Structures are given as structure tokens and as C-alpha cells.
Amino acid sequence: VSRFEGIAMAPPDPILGVSEAFRADTDAKKLNLGVGAYRTEELQPYVLDVVKKAENLMLERGENKEYLSIEGLAAFNKVTAELLFGADNPVIKQQRVATVQGLSGTGSLRLAAALIERYFPGAQVLISSPTWGNHKNIFNDARVPWSEYRYYDPKTVGLDFEGMISDIKAAPEGSFILLHGCAHNPTGIDPTPEQWEKIADVIQEKNHIPFFDVAYQGFASGSLDADASSVRLFAARGMELLIAQSYSKNLGLYAERIGAINVVCSSADAAARVKSQLKRIARPMYSNPPVHGARIVANVVGDPALFNEWKEEMEMMAGRIKNVRQKLFDSLSARDKSGKDWSFILKQIGMFSFTGLNKTQSDNMTNKWHVYMTKDGRISLAGLSLAKCEYLADAIIDSFH
Ligand SMILES: Cc1ncc(COP(=O)(O)O)c(CN[C@@](C)(CC(=O)O)C(=O)O)c1O
């Protein structure tokens, strides 16, 4: 008797499945605006120059392949926390941050979810509506209950700030509030600094625990410090908080799976204990993390020349996406006769634009125009070139009407 016979075929992933469909399309006009992966103006994947330089350095050194410790490469854990908070931040000086290298952003979120499940039974995580599609999968599989707070307002194509605040206020005391540090996915809409202050106020009032997902630090605005300002605002208030990091986008290390989970505690002693429990969760999950990506990050940030060159490359990537936003906006405004306001394209930040196209309209983008995007109406501008903006504008205008 076959035991596996009864297992059904899983549906394709809403984001990564789009790339599979794109690859199967043979039409030369096809455009992959699905997965949030940076492409050059020639629509090619991009390995940053500093990554190549760091790897050459590493090759010359001839490093070994010994296991890392469960918490990961110490040099990486040091620089990743310093990048996030700033090296002179009190949370760093007072050693109140438990940092564990994770399997990129996803693995770091999963480690944090396992910690929540183990030490905060019954606590729920509030996630934005909409949010990155995999957030729900991570908490479901980690058996952590979640609910949504209002975030996107289709009427204003902006942030439903009142709704967000009232939903966070209404949540049971001690809930975890999942926040996108910068470049909200999929909407591209971030709170203003004043709004972040109010979000911190309501989270403090309700004794909630802020839980940041920082997947785009430096990639959204081009500045590492600007993109970390929301996290630093909460840390400056002396709050305990969790922050998951990823180097997939800002250092282009997608397939190296390098990220970290940071837990800001109220004392160094608590941080040491939290770190020990994160290690206890990681050991049976994957034992210890991959070394290559961690060494690249440590080498790039540890060398002043490479670090500065990295900052220049991030500004270049962020700048290219800003130029594409402007060109798409201009193309839409020039071609659309309906008088629709396309300014949301310019107001949104990061690699995504939330177009407002519904599922049927998104299907039309793919079936008729060979434009691949996620069914929630998100397009990744990182996959768009200036040369293709007019074609995309035609597709969007055709699909809206
Ligand atoms: C908000 C957010 N958090 C975490 C991650 C996880 O990335 P990592 O595991 O590679 O570090 C992504 C990546 N989201 C992408 C860019 C890719 C994906 O869906 O995995 C996206 O297209 O939304 C993300 O957008």
C-alpha cells in the first residue's frame, strides 16, 4: 500500500510561482514584475561589485568550511546589529541585543515565531492588511495565531492610519505588532516620522511588543540610517523589540540566505538568556547557518572602503528604481485620457508599487500583455527598465478599463 499516494499537489506560491510562469512564457515582450528581485536596466540580475571584491578577498584567504556556532558567525552578528542600531547606540553599548544569524529574513522571522510560540503561549501577532504573502505561512506553520490591522486605504491609495491605530489599540494587551521597518511590501507606503511616533505611543500604552521586519534597509531610500529610523525610534524609547533582517535585497545576496533575528531586551543578562533559547530552537531546526553570506557581509561592512562602495551601490540601485517610478508615472499620465491620478506611483517607496489592479485585471496584464505580477496588484519596479515603461503603461491603462 502506498503511503504517499494520498498527498495532494500544493498550489504554486503566490510570489515565487509567478517567476515559474514567467520562465515558461516564450514571448519576447514578457516582463517579470513579480518577485522583488533587483534587475539592471538591461533586466539582468545584479551581483554588487563589493560582493565580488569581498569574495575575491575570501578566496585569497583560503578560509575553511568548519561548522559555524549555532548562533552564526560572530563577526556577522556584531556588524548586523551595529548596522541596524548604529554602533554607538545604547542598546549595543549595554549589550541588550540578542542577535542570532538566521536563514535570511524568512528564517529569522521563523526563529522569532518559534520563540513567541514557546514563551508567549496564546499571544497573537498582528500583521498589516495587506502584507508580504509569506508572513501568514510563517506564523501558521509556527502555530502562532495572527490577526490583521488595517493598513492600506484603497480610497486614498494611502495609509489607513486611523484604522491602523484603532486596530492596534483594540488588540489584547501584550500582542506582537509586526511592522515593516521601511518599504512596506506590497504597498510601498510607509508611515511618516510623526505617524511612527504615534504608533510607538499606542504600542507602549498597550504593552504590546513591536516586531520589525527589516528586509530593505538602505535599499528603500538609499540610506542605511534613514531606513533604520523607525527601528531606532522604538529602541530609543527603551522598548523591548524584535527585528528580523535580510541582506537579500540591499546586498543582493538572495540565494545566500543571510539575515538575522535581533531581540532587544531590558538587560544584558536577559539578552544572554534569550540568545541561549534561540540557539536551542535553531539546533533541531537547521543546527547552524551557512557561512558564505555571513562572511561577505562581515567583510563588506568591516572594510571602510568596501562599506563606502556598498553605500554608493545601494544609492545607485535605489536611484534606478526612483527613475523608473518617474518614467512610469510620466508614461501613464501622458497616455491615460481618463484623468486618473497616478501620483501614488511617485509617493510609494522601495521596490514595489501597489497598482490597485484587481485579480481579473492582473490576469489581463499577464494573459494579454505578458506582464507577470502578483495577483494582489503588486508590481516590482526593480524588474522594470526605463525602456519598458511605455509598454507597461499601455498594459496598465488597458487593464484598468
Ligand atoms: C517584507 C519581507 N520580509 C521578508 C522577506 C524575505 O526575504 P528573504 O527570506 O529572502 O530574506 C521578503 C522578501 N520578499 C520578496 C522580495 C521575495 C519573496 O517573496 O520571498 C517578494 O517578492 O516579496 C519581504 O518582502
Side-chain angles (χ1 to χ4, degrees), residues 16-124:
L16 301 181
V18 171
S19 297
E20 288 161 24
F22 170 78
R23 278 192 286 275
D25 188 330
T26 55
D27 191 299
K29 296 193 299 293
K30 68 180 184 177
L31 259 182
N32 186 3
L33 307 183
V35 70
Y38 182 82
R39 295 287 180 269
T40 61
E41 177 63 22
E42 296 70 39
L43 299 184
Q44 295 307 309
Y46 180 61
V47 178
L48 277 75
D49 293 340
V50 282
V51 170
K52 293 176 188 163
K53 289 180 180 170
E55 289 185 314
N56 289 335
L57 269 173
M58 289 151 61
L59 266 179
E60 282 158 21
R61 277 193 210 125
E63 284 151 331
N64 66 48
K65 304 269 184 196
E66 286 297 296
Y67 283 130
L68 288 182
S69 52
I70 299 171
E71 71 265 29
L73 185 71
F76 165 78
N77 286 345
K78 178 175 184 299
V79 297
T80 200
E82 290 175 356
L83 270 179
L84 185 59
F85 296 104
D88 53 3
N89 192 301
V91 299
I92 299 281
K93 298 278 184 208
Q94 296 158 16
Q95 299 180 329
R96 291 197 284 116
V97 189
T99 302
V100 170
Q101 179 184 334
L103 305 184
S104 213
T106 304
S108 302
L109 289 160
R110 183 65 184 267
L111 218 45
L115 187 78
I116 292 169
E117 192 275 340
R118 182 167 293 187
Y119 288 98
F120 301 90
Q124 64 168 327

Side-chain angles (χ1 to χ4, degrees), residues 15-16 34-36 103-106 109 132 135 180 185 213 215-216 246 248-249 254 257 351-352 378:
I15 295 175
L16 301 181
V35 70
L103 305 184
S104 213
T106 304
L109 289 160
W132 175 50
H135 279 150
H180 297 232
N185 179 354
D213 182 357
Y216 299 93
S246 164
S248 290
K249 277 68 81 175
Y254 304 92
R257 312 309 297 140
M351 61 174 23
F352 303 111
R378 181 192 89 171

Side-chain angles (χ1 to χ4, degrees), residues 198-395:
K198 290 201 176 67
I199 293 163
D201 291 344
V202 70
I203 285 176
Q204 266 182 306
E205 276 159 35
K206 296 288 307 210
N207 293 315
H208 291 329
I209 302 175
F211 179 176
F212 278 93
D213 182 357
V214 177
Y216 299 93
Q217 185 185 357
F219 191 92
S221 69
S223 154
L224 282 163
D225 293 326
D227 288 352
S229 53
S230 55
V231 171
R232 295 177 187 180
L233 181 156
F234 281 71
R237 292 195 176 199
M239 299 167 85
E240 293 178 316
L241 63 150
L242 299 129
I243 309 100
Q245 290 175 283
S246 164
Y247 290 89
S248 290
K249 277 68 81 175
N250 58 5
L251 200 41
L253 297 179
Y254 304 92
E256 299 292 357
R257 312 309 297 140
I258 177 68
I261 181 66
N262 301 273
V263 184
V264 179
C265 304
S266 49
S267 70
D269 184 59
R273 285 183 269 113
V274 165
K275 186 169 186 171
S276 73
Q277 294 299 346
L278 283 168
K279 287 168 65 177
R280 201 161 70 114
I281 292 167
R283 171 65 168 149
M285 196 188 278
Y286 55 84
S287 184
N288 46 77
V291 69
H292 193 65
R295 283 198 178 124
I296 293 173
V297 175
N299 280 304
V300 167
V301 179
D303 174 310
L306 290 180
F307 187 38
N308 285 330
E309 189 176 341
W310 177 32
K311 287 190 264 190
E312 285 159 16
E313 287 195 88
M314 264 187 292
E315 280 186 50
M316 178 278 291
M317 291 191 286
R320 191 183 87 70
I321 294 176
K322 277 185 198 127
N323 292 341
V324 156
R325 278 189 188 282
Q326 185 63 53
K327 175 79 174 164
L328 180 58
F329 170 77
D330 295 345
S331 306
L332 284 161
S333 307
R335 292 160 135 69
D336 186 29
K337 303 292 172 250
S338 73
K340 180 179 171 64
D341 176 8
W342 297 101
S343 60
F344 65 86
I345 301 265
L346 298 176
K347 280 186 246 166
Q348 293 166 353
I349 185 170
M351 61 174 23
F352 303 111
S353 181
F354 207 51
T355 61
L357 288 163
N358 63 35
K359 191 188 171 316
T360 310
Q361 294 166 330
S362 300
D363 287 340
N364 183 64
M365 292 285 284
T366 303
N367 302 336
K368 180 174 176 184
W369 295 85
H370 303 278
V371 174
Y372 289 78
M373 56 189 286
T374 48
K375 298 301 171 217
D376 59 3
R378 181 192 89 171
I379 56 173
S380 169
L381 298 167
L384 180 62
S385 61
L386 291 172
K388 296 278 187 178
C389 284
E390 291 178 337
Y391 176 78
L392 179 60
D394 287 338

Side-chain angles (χ1 to χ4, degrees), residues 158-216:
L159 176 60
D160 177 358
F161 183 64
E162 302 316 320
M164 176 182 185
I165 292 294
S166 70
D167 291 345
I168 292 175
K169 237 181 211 151
E173 187 148 323
S175 295
F176 291 83
I177 313 297
L178 187 64
L179 301 160
H180 297 232
C182 63
H184 184 270
N185 179 354
T187 67
I189 299 159
D190 286 353
T192 63
E194 297 73 30
Q195 289 173 329
W196 275 123
E197 293 285 353
K198 290 201 176 67
I199 293 163
D201 291 344
V202 70
I203 285 176
Q204 266 182 306
E205 276 159 35
K206 296 288 307 210
N207 293 315
H208 291 329
I209 302 175
F211 179 176
F212 278 93
D213 182 357
V214 177
Y216 299 93

